[in-house]
Amino acid sequence: MRVAMLHGVGDIRVEEAPDPDVPEGYTLVRVTDVGLCGSDLHWFGEGGIGDATLTRPTVPGHEFAGVGASGELDGVPVAVDPAIACGRCEMCEAGHRNLCVNIQFAGHSTLDGGMAELIAWPTHLLHPLPAGMTGADGAMLEPLGVALHAWDLAHSRVGDTIAVVGCGPIGLLTVQLAKAVGSGTVVAVEPLAHRREAAARYGADVVLDVDEAGDPDTWHRWGLGADVVLEIAGNDEAVGISVTAARPGGRVVLAGIPDGERSSFPAHVARRKGLTFAMVRRMKEMYPRTIRLVEQGLVDVRSVVTERAPLDDVAGAFARATARTGLKTVIGLA
């Protein structure tokens, strides 16, 4: 089979690899679509994320879908949950499998990911796709799951003013979620014009650039500010804007992944406002919910995909995704 192998910073190659063995409890999956996530771009551009670094050549990709090629799922289109939790540790037993201390995650240096023509994966982590849902749609369920987990951490009420800071694919999905659940005013903040336009298309009531959003007076349009701010950009400017945007007693959900090991924010403003911060670590059991949201037309994942590139062009696709000229890039393997 063919795979995309990340050897180092900026060095990804299409190579031949042996077909995988299929252990008991696993299903062989013929991969059709793999989304490029912001975290994939960190691995490609920096060789890691924080203290997690590339220790060996690795097949990237954790947003993926395909068709079962063995067992009871033979011929069935499936989305793949990329997180293999142990199911036995204290975090798993408490229902926090995203915080499993023994977790293995696709494309995360120690476990090869989905950018391969074939992969063997635990059968219980494969989610059949409804009729009419494409492989690219299935790959988009993972970022939608992250957005949904962030939304759960927001503890938002119907009618709240919501700010989404950073309108890449997960931010745009979050805008859609906010509108779907009956939020009041949804304010989107984004430096790139084409992504601001996309946020408006997906229902944001107000769209701001970073200069407007960094001015505290801007947020006085909504009384004392936003009830909930979801930061999905991963840089200190975005975190600072989130603190500025939040009303006293508000909640800031940090879902963005920073380039380095540290993030900072205006501490005195946050302290005077008495803000609550929540950190997003991937997602929990989201696939059944994300499938329903897409199937019922409450969230549009399909139009967020603006490029589907072949495996042979994986290096170019990574470069274009890094330049952020579009929205979501998906690698098509079939």
Side-chain angles (χ1 to χ4, degrees):
M1 66 171 179
R2 296 189 309 156
V3 303
M5 189 74 73
L6 182 64
H7 288 263
V9 173
D11 182 8
I12 191 165
R13 313 170 198 169
V14 177
E15 301 176 355
E16 297 286 332
D19 291 357
D21 295 327
V22 186
E24 184 176 355
Y26 280 59
T27 294
L28 187 67
V29 176
R30 190 170 300 280
V31 179
T32 59
D33 295 87
V34 186
L36 297 189
C37 176
S39 60
D40 293 318
L41 302 184
H42 282 286
W43 284 103
F44 176 74
E46 302 157 33
I49 299 175
D51 60 356
T53 58
L54 193 66
T55 58
R56 64 172 179 85
T58 301
V59 178
H62 61 269
E63 302 175 356
F64 62 112
V67 178
S70 69
E72 61 187 27
L73 293 175
D74 189 18
V76 177
V78 293
V80 182
D81 185 332
I84 305 176
C86 73
R88 301 181 302 275
C89 70
E90 182 178 346
M91 290 294 96
C92 285
E93 290 182 347
H96 306 303
R97 67 185 289 267
N98 59 315
L99 304 179
C100 171
V101 297
N102 304 306
I103 200 163
Q104 292 183 291
F105 195 75
H108 199 267
S109 188
T110 58
L111 180 66
D112 283 339
M115 215 165 284
E117 290 180 323
L118 293 169
I119 192 168
W121 208 254
T123 303
H124 73 281
L125 296 177
L126 303 178
H127 297 270
L129 296 176
M133 195 173 287
T134 68
D137 296 339
M140 287 295 295
L141 296 177
E142 198 278 342
L144 178 55
V146 174
L148 186 55
H149 179 50
W151 186 261
D152 286 351
L153 293 173
H155 301 306
S156 175
R157 304 166 301 175
V158 172
D160 273 351
T161 296
I162 305 297
V164 178
V165 181
C167 291
I170 293 178
L172 295 173
L173 294 170
T174 304
V175 167
Q176 294 188 59
L177 286 174
K179 298 302 294 185
V181 301
S183 299
T185 301
V186 177
V187 184
V189 179
E190 168 59 43
L192 299 178
H194 71 281
R195 292 188 171 185
R196 290 198 298 272
E197 293 168 2
R201 289 198 306 273
Y202 289 121
D205 300 290
V206 180
V207 180
L208 304 174
D209 63 26
V210 294
D211 291 333
E212 295 173 292
D215 182 354
D217 289 339
T218 296
W219 299 96
H220 294 165
R221 295 188 228 171
W222 303 282
L224 296 173
D227 299 287
V228 173
V229 185
L230 297 108
E231 180 276 318
I232 318 181
N235 57 65
D236 286 351
E237 183 179 28
V239 177
I241 286 171
S242 299
V243 169
T244 299
R247 66 182 291 120
R251 191 170 183 88
V252 176
V253 180
L254 300 177
I257 298 176
D259 288 340
E261 179 62 21
R262 295 181 181 274
S263 295
S264 64
F265 60 90
H268 292 302
V269 177
R271 177 179 56 82
R272 285 193 292 268
K273 288 185 174 183
L275 300 180
T276 297
F277 288 83
M279 303 292 294
V280 177
R281 172 63 166 170
R282 296 174 180 156
M283 62 173 168
K284 296 185 181 181
E285 303 295 345
M286 299 297 173
Y287 275 84
R289 293 169 65 192
T290 58
I291 288 171
R292 287 196 296 271
L293 285 166
V294 174
E295 192 174 24
Q296 294 171 11
L298 296 171
V299 176
D300 171 16
V301 296
R302 185 169 299 176
S303 66
V304 179
V305 178
T306 51
E307 179 184 7
R308 190 174 187 270
L311 182 62
D312 288 336
D313 188 30
V314 65
F318 265 91
R320 292 188 295 277
T322 299
R324 291 175 168 82
T325 54
L327 300 178
K328 169 64 75 174
T329 297
V330 168
I331 302 298
L333 286 88

